[in-house]
Amino acid sequence: MKITGNFIVDHIPLEITLMERSVQSVKSNRETSVKRDHFISTALVDIQVNGFVGNDLSDPTVTGTDVCEMVRELWRVGTGLICPTIVTNSFENISNSLKAVVKAYESDQRVADSILGIHLEGPYISEVDGPRGAHPLKHVRDPDWEEFQQLQDIAQGKICLVTLAPEKIGAIHFIEKLVENGIVVAIGHTNATAEDISAAISAGASLSTHLGNGAHAEIRRHPNYIWDQLAADELRASLIVDGHHLPASVVKSMIRAKTPKRCILISDAVSLAGLDSGNYEFAGSAVELTEDRVVRLAGTEYLAGSAIELVKGIENTIKFTGLSLQKVIPMATLHPLIILNEKERIEKMRDLFVFKYASESQEITPVATIVNGELVYYDNNINVRNEAECGTN
């Protein structure tokens, strides 16, 4: 079987040769005939995904089977590599979530290949309404290195990214310890001063988690913790571009200020993502998933998470900013791999995303997802160069 497409970086045709779902070669071939709307890029990378199609990573009953199902469903929408994200909770519930991810990692090699590491979002965040977001107040706490080491042991060393608030007691030393241990530190869900943010950067923080969200509804015009992070060249910024968490004008302005090279697209998807619109119970509260993919607390305008897949964030970013597909795709592929120091995965070209792109509508249609040289999803209904049929996953 051969799959072809224009390489997103230089538009030179690529030819992927597979045998029994395994990649045998990936070659540039200028002589290959490729449709103009077919592209190949590095696999999509979502470093903040909390759940998908009913599977909630922070649910007290989550299992390894649930994690595996979530990963497989993400393959179908083009996301090949992820950081399963576990949010603020009790030590016991966080531990159970970590165990579920480890179980998934151990039970299915293809799933393991998709998991770059675990993102721990909290519990060391602001207790203030607004910055805390939807994280439960009763479980918010100050950084505790002994507790974190216990969690990392339970995770078998797989926690690779921690989001915290640098103004918390002991946070700066905690950041230093994380960085010493090779863990990426992100500032998020914070009510920090400019001095707190500067100290966090000096200690090694390198990312802002969903900049512009996890914040007060109304804040001081300037200075404030959004401007301070936006201005810091040392910080990359992850952005939720679902059209609801950030207005289009804010997305455009933030990406202009940060520059595309310092931006990372995330879905921040919760378990309702991928489900039909309707009324649900989520995290103990009644919520509504609207037709336009907004999750709100029932009867209010308050957001209760994102319900998009990463590919929709790419489409929206193109629409909101006017940037080209070639400029936006790296925000969801190369940039997250770079911040996680996964340069080897970039160089080996064994994690790939094949898709159709309609330039007029800016719509992306996933064709194939390849993870560590294995075809984990393929849409037989898409017309690509195909020497043999391959079953879908």
Side-chain angles (χ1 to χ4, degrees), residues 223-243:
N224 61 56
Y225 47 76
I226 296 176
W227 282 113
D228 291 331
Q229 292 178 79
L230 193 60
D233 292 343
E234 301 90 342
L235 296 173
R236 292 180 186 266
S238 68
L239 304 172
I240 308 170
V241 191
D242 62 354

Side-chain angles (χ1 to χ4, degrees), residues 12 22 35 63 68 135 147 155 189 193 207 213 215 247 250 266 286 297 315 319 354-355 376 383:
I12 294 176
S22 293
K35 292 187 176 182
T63 66
C68 287
H135 291 234
E147 178 187 51
H189 290 282
T193 64
L207 178 68
N213 295 116
V250 173
I266 57 174
L297 292 175
E315 294 176 351
K319 293 173 184 176
V354 184
F355 60 98
V376 294
N383 182 26

Side-chain angles (χ1 to χ4, degrees), residues 24-280:
Q24 304 300 303
S25 65
V26 180
K27 297 179 180 179
S28 298
N29 187 346
R30 293 181 182 274
E31 304 304 316
T32 299
S33 176
V34 179
K35 292 187 176 182
R36 292 181 61 186
D37 61 350
H38 284 73
F39 291 91
I40 297 174
S41 75
T42 302
L44 299 189
V45 183
D46 197 343
I47 63 171
Q48 190 158 348
V49 55
N50 311 278
F52 199 63
V53 290
N55 300 292
D56 184 353
L57 294 178
S58 292
D59 189 287
T61 64
V62 67
T63 66
T65 300
D66 298 329
V67 177
C68 287
E69 181 180 340
M70 182 192 80
V71 173
R72 294 187 190 111
E73 289 296 328
L74 286 168
W75 292 338
R76 299 177 65 85
V77 293
T79 302
L81 305 175
I82 68 166
C83 289
T85 302
I86 297 165
V87 300
T88 301
N89 215 318
S90 67
F91 179 87
E92 291 73 22
N93 284 348
I94 292 175
S95 298
N96 181 67
S97 296
L98 294 172
K99 290 174 184 176
V101 175
V102 170
K103 184 65 176 177
Y105 192 94
E106 294 175 340
S107 65
D108 188 314
Q109 185 58 54
R110 289 180 177 177
V111 169
D113 289 338
S114 284
I115 297 175
L116 296 174
I118 297 169
H119 180 175
L120 186 62
E121 185 189 5
Y124 315 123
I125 60 170
S126 175
E127 69 280 0
V128 177
D129 288 348
R132 190 181 73 255
H135 291 234
L137 176 60
K138 66 180 179 179
H139 295 307
V140 170
R141 45 202 187 265
D142 291 331
D144 182 329
W145 184 249
E146 183 177 344
E147 178 187 51
F148 176 78
Q149 285 181 304
Q150 292 175 330
L151 293 173
Q152 184 69 300
D153 287 343
I154 291 167
Q156 297 186 11
K158 292 180 175 60
I159 299 174
C160 69
L161 171 59
V162 174
T163 292
L164 53 73
E167 71 272 18
K168 302 291 287 187
I169 295 172
I172 301 305
H173 181 61
F174 189 77
I175 292 170
E176 292 172 342
K177 296 282 285 184
L178 290 171
V179 174
E180 286 173 6
N181 284 268
I183 296 165
V184 177
V185 177
I187 298 170
H189 290 282
T190 181
N191 190 32
T193 64
E195 292 74 22
D196 294 326
I197 292 168
S198 178
I201 292 169
S202 295
S206 56
L207 178 68
S208 297
T209 286
H210 50 51
L211 189 59
N213 295 116
H216 293 92
E218 296 182 1
I219 58 177
R220 181 179 178 178
R221 182 178 56 183
H222 47 69
N224 61 56
Y225 47 76
I226 296 176
W227 282 113
D228 291 331
Q229 292 178 79
L230 193 60
D233 292 343
E234 301 90 342
L235 296 173
R236 292 180 186 266
S238 68
L239 304 172
I240 308 170
V241 191
D242 62 354
H244 310 293
H245 279 78
L246 297 172
S249 61
V250 173
V251 172
K252 186 174 185 177
S253 298
M254 283 186 167
I255 292 176
R256 278 184 173 178
K258 266 298 176 191
T259 75
K261 289 186 178 180
R262 293 193 187 97
C263 292
I264 293 172
L265 301 183
I266 57 174
S267 71
D268 199 23
V270 297
S271 61
L272 302 185
L275 299 181
D276 294 333
S277 58
N279 297 311
Y280 295 90

